Amino acid sequence: MFEKVRVGVLGCANIAERFLIPAFQSLNEFDLVGIASRNQDDANNFAKKFSIKPCENYDVMIASKCIDAVYIPLPNGLHYEWIKKSLDMNLHVLVEKSMACSYDEVSALTKLAKHKNLALLENFQFRFHSQLAHIKSLVNSGEIGEIRNIRSSFGFPPFPDIENIRYKKDLGGGALLDAGAYPLKIVQMFMSKNVYIACSSLFVDKAYGVDTFGSFQVNDSESKITAQCAFGFDNFYQCNIELWGSKGKIKADRIFTSPPGYTPTISVNSADRDHSVSIASDDHFKNMLLHFYSLITNGNDLEDEYKQNLRQANLLQQIRDKN
């Protein structure tokens, strides 16, 4: 049993600076030890800002004997290499989505993590927001009857920086792994385990060589419901889920990106009444980290996370193959 989990960070990403590092440092369960970057100046600046130790490179960080786990917010194309190296060093891993660039890579990493009994968690922080828990409770209570269809979208306008890593094919860029992974993940939470991709469409921008928008349909062979999902970073902003049932409908915006302090609103419509539910502000980053801590210290949900890793990666692969 750990008293505190000692964590090292690989990479100076924006999400690490804005959300994850502050969340780590706010929790007594963790001791954020240091940060490494390919750019020493970046590591030094982050280390100074957060009063942690800078490391000269990723290898030095994971070889350190003073950490138990790593947080990896690197570009997708670097995930496989550094997850594998970290697992080989017997370190638990929290990694930004998507976990890797292919099903085979995710399968190999999950097999290794399972063999070593290590946590391997993909950071879909929205899973741990009370907004999603409330939507699930509405569905389970029969508020909208039986689910007939699900729709979810996540997309945003083009990035102003054409050098953004999301436009880099060699770094695992593209909208599917970046934005499309979110709606794919959330619709599975309202479907059976027997789902498959019925069809998909990916638009590949020839200038970048990566997909910049797309859509797909998930079919449930058990319940016969379907989910339509759309995504992109050449789009008007959307961040929602809609559950259409036999007796009503639930819709929530900002389902993936409700920041700490934000009060989400859920709309519920039925033949009897239309109303909105305000959800108290929550911090899904802290909640997710507490789940990570639980995986490390008691391991009760490790097998479920391994299975989720494989299902998500398999469906992502199907989306590419169906295109």
Side-chain angles (χ1 to χ4, degrees), residues 16-34:
E17 181 177 16
R18 293 181 60 199
F19 298 113
L20 267 298
I21 291 178
F24 271 119
Q25 293 190 321
S26 72
L27 295 170
N28 292 328
E29 287 80 0
F30 294 96
D31 180 13
L32 193 63
V33 175

Side-chain angles (χ1 to χ4, degrees), residues 198-213:
C199 58
S200 69
S201 178
L202 299 176
F203 174 81
V204 176
D205 189 305
K206 293 181 180 178
Y208 299 116
V210 300
D211 55 284
T212 53
F213 66 87

Side-chain angles (χ1 to χ4, degrees), residues 169 175-176 196-206 209-217 229 231 314-323:
K169 185 177 181 179
L176 175 60
Y196 62 94
I197 301 301
C199 58
S200 69
S201 178
L202 299 176
F203 174 81
V204 176
D205 189 305
K206 293 181 180 178
V210 300
D211 55 284
T212 53
F213 66 87
S215 59
F216 55 88
Q217 178 169 303
C229 302
F231 60 91
N314 181 40
L315 291 170
L316 284 170
Q317 190 68 50
Q318 289 183 45
I319 291 169
R320 287 185 288 255
D321 293 345
K322 285 283 185 179
N323 182 59

Side-chain angles (χ1 to χ4, degrees), residues 6 24 46 62 73 88 90 97 112 139 149 154 193 205 217 245 257 268 270 281 315:
R6 303 167 298 172
F24 271 119
F46 267 60
I62 65 173
D88 283 337
N90 296 311
K97 79 299 294 177
L112 179 58
V139 172
N149 181 257
F154 189 35
K193 301 297 187 291
D205 189 305
Q217 178 169 303
T257 60
V268 185
S270 67
S281 61
L315 291 170

Side-chain angles (χ1 to χ4, degrees), residues 112-159:
L112 179 58
K114 185 173 183 178
H115 174 71
K116 289 177 168 283
N117 199 38
L118 294 168
L120 177 56
L121 177 64
E122 193 171 22
N123 180 25
F124 286 103
Q125 68 276 351
F126 72 85
R127 290 173 53 195
F128 306 98
H129 199 290
S130 53
Q131 176 182 208
L132 182 59
H134 191 80
I135 292 172
K136 288 181 176 179
S137 71
L138 289 173
V139 172
N140 292 337
S141 71
E143 181 83 15
I144 61 168
E146 296 180 357
I147 294 178
R148 298 293 188 237
N149 181 257
I150 308 170
R151 298 187 182 98
S152 182
S153 300
F154 189 35
F156 28 85
F159 298 100

Side-chain angles (χ1 to χ4, degrees), residues 3-155:
E3 290 186 1
K4 282 196 173 188
V5 172
R6 303 167 298 172
V7 179
V9 180
L10 305 187
C12 297
N14 180 262
I15 190 172
E17 181 177 16
R18 293 181 60 199
F19 298 113
L20 267 298
I21 291 178
F24 271 119
Q25 293 190 321
S26 72
L27 295 170
N28 292 328
E29 287 80 0
F30 294 96
D31 180 13
L32 193 63
V33 175
I35 188 163
S37 175
R38 289 172 292 180
N39 184 311
Q40 190 61 50
D41 288 339
D42 288 344
N44 290 339
N45 290 335
F46 267 60
K48 182 178 180 180
K49 179 175 181 179
F50 295 106
S51 299
I52 55 179
K53 179 183 176 181
C55 280
E56 57 194 86
N57 57 53
Y58 305 146
D59 284 304
V60 170
M61 173 62 78
I62 65 173
S64 168
K65 299 299 183 181
C66 61
I67 61 172
D68 310 301
V70 291
Y71 165 53
I72 303 178
L74 295 171
N76 293 327
L78 300 178
H79 285 179
Y80 176 79
E81 175 186 359
W82 291 104
I83 294 173
K84 185 178 185 304
K85 286 184 176 181
S86 298
L87 293 173
D88 283 337
M89 298 299 291
N90 296 311
L91 297 171
H92 302 277
V93 176
L94 168 65
V95 61
E96 284 301 327
K97 79 299 294 177
S98 287
M99 182 171 290
C101 294
S102 71
Y103 174 77
D104 289 343
E105 289 182 346
V106 173
S107 179
L109 293 172
T110 301
K111 183 178 180 180
L112 179 58
K114 185 173 183 178
H115 174 71
K116 289 177 168 283
N117 199 38
L118 294 168
L120 177 56
L121 177 64
E122 193 171 22
N123 180 25
F124 286 103
Q125 68 276 351
F126 72 85
R127 290 173 53 195
F128 306 98
H129 199 290
S130 53
Q131 176 182 208
L132 182 59
H134 191 80
I135 292 172
K136 288 181 176 179
S137 71
L138 289 173
V139 172
N140 292 337
S141 71
E143 181 83 15
I144 61 168
E146 296 180 357
I147 294 178
R148 298 293 188 237
N149 181 257
I150 308 170
R151 298 187 182 98
S152 182
S153 300
F154 189 35

Side-chain angles (χ1 to χ4, degrees), residues 237-279:
Y237 185 77
Q238 292 285 282
C239 179
N240 56 53
I241 185 169
E242 178 183 286
L243 299 120
W244 185 13
S246 57
K247 297 180 180 179
K249 181 179 74 173
I250 299 170
K251 184 175 181 181
D253 293 316
R254 297 298 297 272
I255 188 65
F256 305 121
T257 60
S258 294
Y262 177 77
T263 303
T265 300
I266 299 169
S267 299
V268 185
N269 307 103
S270 67
D272 299 326
R273 64 171 183 151
D274 297 339
H275 66 286
S276 296
V277 181
S278 293
I279 305 299

